[in-house]
Amino acid sequence: MRVDWLDAHQGTVTAVSGTVVCLAVLLLVIAVARGQAQTRVALYGARPVPRPPEFTTEEGGGLRIVVPLANTSPWPAQALAAEARINGRRVDGGVRDATLFGGVPGVPIAASACRPSFTWPMGVLDASVELRWSWRDGAGRHRARWQGTVRVPEQALPPGR
Protein backbone atom coordinates (compact mmCIF):
# COMPACT_ATOMS: atom_id res chain seq x y z
CA MET A 1 0.00 0.00 0.00
CA ARG A 2 1.46 3.26 -1.11
CA VAL A 3 0.82 6.45 0.88
CA ASP A 4 0.63 9.63 -1.09
CA TRP A 5 2.50 12.74 0.15
CA LEU A 6 -0.72 14.78 0.38
CA ASP A 7 -2.38 12.07 2.48
CA ALA A 8 0.61 12.06 4.83
CA HIS A 9 0.65 15.84 5.27
CA GLN A 10 -3.06 16.59 5.10
CA GLY A 11 -3.22 18.21 8.55
CA THR A 12 -0.32 20.57 7.83
CA VAL A 13 -1.70 21.57 4.42
CA THR A 14 -5.13 22.23 5.94
CA ALA A 15 -3.65 24.37 8.74
CA VAL A 16 -1.50 26.43 6.37
CA SER A 17 -4.35 27.01 3.93
CA GLY A 18 -6.69 28.00 6.77
CA THR A 19 -4.10 30.48 8.07
CA VAL A 20 -3.66 32.00 4.59
CA VAL A 21 -7.42 32.41 4.18
CA CYS A 22 -7.70 34.06 7.64
CA LEU A 23 -4.88 36.49 6.83
CA ALA A 24 -6.48 37.35 3.48
CA VAL A 25 -9.82 38.08 5.19
CA LEU A 26 -8.07 40.19 7.86
CA LEU A 27 -6.24 42.24 5.21
CA LEU A 28 -9.50 42.75 3.34
CA VAL A 29 -11.23 43.99 6.52
CA ILE A 30 -8.36 46.42 7.22
CA ALA A 31 -8.47 47.75 3.64
CA VAL A 32 -12.25 48.28 3.82
CA ALA A 33 -11.96 50.05 7.20
CA ARG A 34 -9.25 52.39 5.87
CA GLY A 35 -11.30 53.10 2.76
CA GLN A 36 -14.32 54.00 4.88
CA ALA A 37 -12.19 56.30 7.06
CA GLN A 38 -10.86 58.09 3.98
CA THR A 39 -14.37 58.40 2.62
CA ARG A 40 -15.59 59.91 5.91
CA VAL A 41 -12.73 62.43 5.83
CA ALA A 42 -13.52 63.32 2.22
CA LEU A 43 -17.24 63.72 2.93
CA TYR A 44 -17.28 65.25 6.42
CA GLY A 45 -13.70 66.32 7.11
CA ALA A 46 -12.59 69.81 8.04
CA ARG A 47 -9.21 71.01 6.73
CA PRO A 48 -7.70 73.77 8.88
CA VAL A 49 -4.54 75.10 7.21
CA PRO A 50 -2.13 77.82 8.38
CA ARG A 51 -1.73 81.07 6.47
CA PRO A 52 1.59 82.96 6.40
CA PRO A 53 2.63 84.15 9.88
CA GLU A 54 2.46 87.82 10.83
CA PHE A 55 3.99 89.87 13.63
CA THR A 56 2.17 92.25 15.96
CA THR A 57 3.38 94.25 18.94
CA GLU A 58 2.35 93.65 22.53
CA GLU A 59 1.36 96.43 24.88
CA GLY A 60 4.57 95.94 26.88
CA GLY A 61 6.75 96.40 23.80
CA GLY A 62 7.34 92.75 22.91
CA LEU A 63 6.42 90.93 19.74
CA ARG A 64 3.77 88.33 19.09
CA ILE A 65 3.65 86.00 16.11
CA VAL A 66 0.17 85.44 14.70
CA VAL A 67 -0.53 82.36 12.55
CA PRO A 68 -4.00 82.63 10.97
CA LEU A 69 -5.79 79.31 10.50
CA ALA A 70 -8.42 78.95 7.80
CA ASN A 71 -10.73 76.00 7.17
CA THR A 72 -10.65 75.03 3.48
CA SER A 73 -13.59 72.66 3.85
CA PRO A 74 -17.28 73.52 4.29
CA TRP A 75 -17.39 71.31 7.41
CA PRO A 76 -16.55 72.91 10.78
CA ALA A 77 -13.45 72.03 12.77
CA GLN A 78 -14.57 71.66 16.39
CA ALA A 79 -12.49 71.53 19.57
CA LEU A 80 -9.67 73.24 17.68
CA ALA A 81 -6.48 73.64 19.71
CA ALA A 82 -3.20 75.21 18.54
CA GLU A 83 0.20 75.48 20.19
CA ALA A 84 3.64 76.58 19.03
CA ARG A 85 7.27 75.88 19.76
CA ILE A 86 9.95 78.41 18.90
CA ASN A 87 13.48 77.00 18.73
CA GLY A 88 12.17 73.86 20.43
CA ARG A 89 10.65 75.66 23.43
CA ARG A 90 6.91 75.89 23.98
CA VAL A 91 5.68 79.48 24.07
CA ASP A 92 2.64 81.14 25.62
CA GLY A 93 -0.47 81.69 23.56
CA GLY A 94 -2.58 79.67 21.17
CA VAL A 95 -6.20 78.60 21.20
CA ARG A 96 -8.11 75.93 23.07
CA ASP A 97 -11.52 74.45 22.29
CA ALA A 98 -12.41 76.82 19.44
CA THR A 99 -14.68 76.16 16.47
CA LEU A 100 -13.44 77.08 13.01
CA PHE A 101 -16.22 77.20 10.45
CA GLY A 102 -15.54 76.29 6.84
CA GLY A 103 -15.94 78.30 3.71
CA VAL A 104 -18.44 78.15 0.89
CA PRO A 105 -17.15 76.82 -2.45
CA GLY A 106 -16.23 79.68 -4.78
CA VAL A 107 -15.98 82.27 -1.99
CA PRO A 108 -12.51 83.25 -0.70
CA ILE A 109 -11.81 82.10 2.85
CA ALA A 110 -11.33 84.84 5.43
CA ALA A 111 -7.92 84.44 7.06
CA SER A 112 -9.22 86.17 10.18
CA ALA A 113 -11.46 83.25 11.14
CA CYS A 114 -9.02 82.00 13.78
CA ARG A 115 -5.86 83.92 14.62
CA PRO A 116 -3.85 82.23 17.39
CA SER A 117 -0.99 84.39 18.60
CA PHE A 118 2.14 83.39 20.47
CA THR A 119 4.77 85.31 22.45
CA TRP A 120 7.95 85.84 20.42
CA PRO A 121 11.17 85.49 22.46
CA MET A 122 13.05 88.75 23.12
CA GLY A 123 16.23 89.25 21.13
CA VAL A 124 15.51 86.51 18.58
CA LEU A 125 15.53 87.63 14.94
CA ASP A 126 15.03 84.30 13.21
CA ALA A 127 13.89 81.02 14.67
CA SER A 128 12.58 77.59 13.87
CA VAL A 129 8.83 77.63 14.47
CA GLU A 130 6.71 74.51 14.87
CA LEU A 131 2.94 74.92 14.91
CA ARG A 132 0.76 72.00 16.02
CA TRP A 133 -3.00 71.97 15.86
CA SER A 134 -5.69 69.40 16.47
CA TRP A 135 -9.42 69.32 15.82
CA ARG A 136 -12.48 67.11 15.71
CA ASP A 137 -14.95 66.86 12.85
CA GLY A 138 -17.54 64.49 11.39
CA ALA A 139 -14.77 62.05 10.46
CA GLY A 140 -13.12 61.85 13.88
CA ARG A 141 -10.14 63.39 15.68
CA HIS A 142 -7.15 64.73 13.72
CA ARG A 143 -3.73 66.33 14.24
CA ALA A 144 -1.51 68.36 11.93
CA ARG A 145 1.86 70.11 12.13
CA TRP A 146 3.74 72.85 10.26
CA GLN A 147 7.42 73.63 10.71
CA GLY A 148 9.50 76.38 9.16
CA THR A 149 11.95 79.18 9.77
CA VAL A 150 10.51 82.61 10.51
CA ARG A 151 12.48 85.87 10.55
CA VAL A 152 11.38 89.08 12.22
CA PRO A 153 10.89 91.63 9.42
CA GLU A 154 13.17 94.65 9.39
CA GLN A 155 11.36 97.79 10.47
CA ALA A 156 11.58 100.82 8.23
CA LEU A 157 13.74 103.60 9.61
CA PRO A 158 11.92 106.80 10.57
CA PRO A 159 12.07 109.47 7.89
CA GLY A 160 15.17 111.69 8.16
CA ARG A 161 15.07 115.49 8.52
Side-chain angles (χ1 to χ4, degrees):
M1 192 178 218
R2 190 167 171 207
V3 178
D4 193 30
W5 182 88
L6 187 57
D7 291 334
H9 296 92
Q10 184 176 1
T12 304
V13 171
T14 303
V16 169
S17 62
T19 303
V20 169
V21 168
C22 288
L23 284 175
V25 169
L26 179 66
L27 291 175
L28 180 64
V29 167
I30 290 172
V32 168
R34 284 188 178 178
Q36 286 180 339
Q38 288 177 347
T39 302
R40 276 197 325 266
V41 169
L43 290 175
Y44 307 115
R47 285 184 288 281
V49 295
R51 299 292 190 203
E54 309 164 355
F55 283 95
T56 62
T57 56
E58 288 183 323
E59 291 181 19
L63 283 177
R64 292 190 72 79
I65 183 170
V66 179
V67 184
L69 291 172
N71 188 356
T72 60
S73 169
W75 302 101
Q78 301 169 338
L80 178 71
E83 67 177 31
R85 294 180 185 274
I86 297 177
N87 286 337
R89 302 179 93 188
R90 190 167 179 195
V91 292
D92 294 334
V95 292
R96 297 265 180 247
D97 204 29
T99 298
L100 180 58
F101 290 98
V104 177
V107 177
I109 298 169
S112 62
C114 182
R115 299 176 54 86
S117 67
F118 307 95
T119 303
W120 187 262
M122 290 295 266
V124 175
L125 292 179
D126 59 343
S128 172
V129 175
E130 179 182 14
L131 178 68
R132 296 177 183 178
W133 65 101
S134 62
W135 70 97
R136 189 186 72 228
D137 58 20
R141 188 96 179 124
H142 311 282
R143 294 183 182 280
R145 182 177 80 111
W146 174 85
Q147 186 172 4
T149 302
V150 177
R151 181 168 180 77
V152 176
E154 294 182 27
Q155 299 296 323
L157 294 173
R161 291 186 186 187

